[in-house]
Amino acid sequence: MYWLYSNIIMFYILLLNLFCIAYFDWKHRRIPNLMLMTLLLCLVPTLKNTIELDVIAHFFEVLIIGFVFVSFGIIGAGDVKLLAVISLAVKPAFFLLFLFSITSLGGLLAIGYLIYGYCTDINKVRARGIPYGLPIVISAAWALFVSIH
């Protein structure tokens, strides 16, 4: 019974941390390393000393492919680091669905920003960028929920 309550409490702490990251990304268009370190520290108890080889592989795949995307200006470095930290806690069975969810929500967000830009000033919207931390956080909340429980 204690295990169930501790998982629920840990999940809510993770949610609070994730939504603070999402708010900061939405407001400032960057994700500070201190917030990512706090998230990583909150994720440590969920790992339960059972890091699988697939999880480590996903972590490095996200970092390598992500930084290629960063070099082409497709995504921000903070988003890649956020995705890499979260990938440590997502079970391998849910990892591709997690990435698909991020891609789908990110596409919807980009379409929304495009419509908003055409209704206002597209150059200002493009200059400010799209906060991809939002779809990452929303997808992470789901993926962590199914991975922890």
Side-chain angles (χ1 to χ4, degrees):
M1 193 66 157
Y2 170 75
W3 176 82
L4 178 64
Y5 289 130
S6 65
N7 272 358
I8 291 171
I9 291 168
M10 185 55 62
F11 179 70
Y12 284 119
I13 291 171
L14 285 171
L15 273 183
L16 178 64
N17 198 338
L18 284 171
F19 285 112
C20 287
I21 290 171
Y23 176 77
F24 200 88
D25 188 37
W26 174 69
K27 193 78 170 158
H28 303 285
R29 298 298 194 273
R30 59 183 213 86
I31 302 171
N33 289 335
L34 183 61
M35 287 185 163
L36 294 173
M37 290 301 293
T38 305
L39 178 65
L40 181 61
L41 289 174
C42 289
L43 286 174
V44 168
T46 65
L47 300 178
K48 300 177 191 162
N49 299 326
T50 58
I51 295 183
E52 301 173 20
L53 189 57
D54 291 342
V55 172
I56 300 298
H58 288 154
F59 174 77
F60 285 111
E61 289 167 358
V62 165
L63 283 179
I64 292 167
I65 294 170
F67 283 114
V68 169
F69 286 172
V70 167
S71 66
F72 287 111
I74 297 171
I75 193 169
D79 298 326
V80 171
K81 292 183 285 186
L82 174 63
L83 186 57
V85 167
I86 294 168
S87 72
L88 289 172
V90 175
K91 287 185 180 175
F94 302 115
F95 189 72
L96 286 178
L97 195 54
F98 170 57
L99 293 179
F100 179 75
S101 175
I102 292 170
T103 306
S104 301
L105 292 173
L108 289 174
L109 183 66
I111 290 170
Y113 265 75
L114 188 63
I115 292 169
Y116 172 72
Y118 284 132
C119 292
T120 59
D121 185 7
I122 191 69
N123 292 326
K124 285 184 182 178
V125 172
R126 282 188 180 158
R128 185 123 195 261
I130 298 173
Y132 278 111
L134 294 174
I136 294 171
V137 164
I138 293 169
S139 301
W142 166 81
L144 291 173
F145 178 77
V146 296
S147 293
I148 291 173
H149 291 85

